[in-house]
Amino acid sequence: MPPATPHDIPPVLGLLPDTIVAKYLGHAIQSGQETPPQVALRKAATLLPTTEARRHTAPLRQLLEEAMRRFDDQRTAADAWLAPRLHATLRLTRAEAADGRLWNYLALLVAPDYVLWRHRGTETTATSRFSGAHYTQAFSRLWWAAELFRDGADYRPVETACRVQDVLNTTLRLDVIDHRPTALAIVRILDRLIADGTPRPGDHVNALSSAVNTAGSTLVYDVLAPDPGGEGEAVLDWIDQAQDAPAVPFERLPDGPDDGRVSAQSVDTLVALFDKLLAEAPRRQRPTLRPTGPGVIPQRATEAQRHSL
């Protein structure tokens, strides 16, 4: 069962410095034995404006509690459902999302239970899931996945990207993924791999990501596949609309900022190129697990280890 809400939730979001997280985040919190010290953390945080609806925590808590309820028996699957809805609920600019203090606050003061539920391993949860790089922190990784893989207002590519953990763990780290046609070309290839029933599609994604990143040092993707970029005014308008926007739907995808779709021709160009790169890219070699004697069962990842991914 999902964990119970561990404490009173602050009504609005805020900013919590890394130094404060480092001071108070210890093994007892990371293992779920203790809850974060709310009084000390709130005292050290800077609250965001209470007048902005997008800063209110109640919609976030409802969203996260629904994710825990829906996916308690398959926690990695929560990423694909949650990423677009988290993005559409928070409605941030990229500059705001780049401020790690926001994600610290969300992880320590608003939803430490979610971080533990989603990422706790056999004993503890990695520090980086509470406070870390944008591609490892529990919530920022989902927001940035939605931001970088959406096609304008369309979040469907985000669902595909988040279905395979290797995209979040590897592809999201690449600088080239900031180029929208590159991101969508990788998703299109991944979608095809999944539809074809290709075994271990994550291995193919890792190989492709490495090849794309390496080729990007000599090939200029924005020349091969031009992209004028999203319309900044449309994003700001979408953020302003948060004041009167209803809660995101649970049974269908929400709409993202309508800042322009990516050129289909640009994506087609890169898919053709990436298919060639993938064909030549070496796959990860996985060891074959063989029994060493009668009755010996090959070792497999535990459920807790899978959730920590």
Side-chain angles (χ1 to χ4, degrees):
M1 293 292 292
T5 303
H7 57 269
D8 292 332
I9 307 300
V12 295
L13 291 170
L15 306 175
L16 186 67
D18 291 343
T19 53
I20 301 301
V21 176
K23 180 179 180 180
Y24 291 105
L25 181 62
H27 180 273
I29 294 174
Q30 292 172 252
S31 62
Q33 297 173 13
E34 296 180 3
T35 57
Q38 296 297 298
V39 174
L41 293 176
R42 291 195 195 197
K43 185 176 180 180
T46 300
L47 290 181
L48 294 172
T50 60
T51 55
E52 294 185 50
R54 66 191 180 115
R55 307 300 195 184
H56 297 170
T57 60
L60 285 172
R61 280 301 313 184
Q62 293 170 4
L63 187 61
L64 297 174
E65 288 168 11
E66 178 67 15
M68 289 188 283
R69 185 191 68 79
R70 285 183 177 230
F71 299 100
D72 193 43
D73 60 346
Q74 193 179 5
R75 301 180 191 184
T76 56
D79 292 346
W81 184 87
L82 182 57
R85 291 170 175 84
L86 179 73
H87 186 272
T89 298
L90 283 174
R91 301 204 182 196
L92 304 171
T93 65
R94 288 193 176 191
E96 290 170 332
D99 190 342
R101 296 176 300 167
L102 173 68
W103 306 114
N104 292 344
Y105 190 96
L106 182 52
L108 270 296
L109 281 155
V110 178
D113 53 328
Y114 183 86
V115 181
L116 291 168
W117 174 85
R118 173 61 185 84
H119 293 290
R120 183 162 55 187
T122 52
E123 295 183 1
T124 65
T125 306
T127 300
S128 61
R129 298 303 189 182
F130 289 93
S131 177
H134 73 277
Y135 48 79
T136 57
Q137 203 274 348
F139 300 110
S140 69
R141 69 198 281 268
L142 299 179
W143 191 95
W144 281 104
E147 174 66 11
L148 295 173
F149 289 105
R150 67 181 174 86
D151 186 6
D154 186 1
Y155 284 121
R156 285 177 297 176
V158 178
E159 285 190 310
T160 299
C162 292
R163 286 180 62 186
V164 176
Q165 288 298 302
D166 295 271
V167 173
L168 293 170
N169 295 336
T170 302
T171 311
L172 195 61
R173 300 170 181 241
L174 305 180
D175 290 338
V176 293
I177 214 67
D178 192 49
H179 182 239
R180 299 195 304 167
T182 294
L184 291 184
I186 291 175
V187 169
R188 186 184 295 180
I189 291 172
L190 173 61
D191 195 36
R192 189 180 67 216
L193 291 171
I194 294 172
D196 291 345
T198 303
R200 301 191 185 279
D203 288 356
H204 294 263
V205 167
N206 277 329
L208 176 60
S209 297
S210 179
V212 166
N213 198 49
T214 300
S217 62
T218 55
L219 296 172
V220 183
Y221 295 133
D222 56 2
V223 173
L224 294 173
D227 177 37
E231 301 172 10
E233 289 298 323
V235 173
L236 295 178
D237 288 344
W238 180 71
I239 290 174
D240 288 341
Q241 292 164 12
Q243 287 298 104
D244 303 312
V248 296
F250 289 168
E251 304 304 332
R252 62 173 178 82
L253 283 173
D255 293 325
D258 191 10
D259 57 348
R261 298 182 70 92
V262 178
S263 163
Q265 181 177 354
S266 291
V267 177
D268 291 342
T269 297
L270 291 184
V271 166
L273 172 61
F274 292 173
D275 275 336
K276 296 177 182 178
L277 294 177
L278 180 59
E280 299 171 358
R283 307 287 189 276
R284 176 171 55 185
Q285 296 298 314
R286 293 178 179 265
T288 301
L289 298 176
R290 293 190 296 271
T292 58
V296 177
I297 301 174
Q299 183 179 3
R300 296 180 183 272
T302 66
E303 186 71 8
Q305 287 170 330
R306 287 196 293 273
H307 294 338
S308 68
L309 293 175

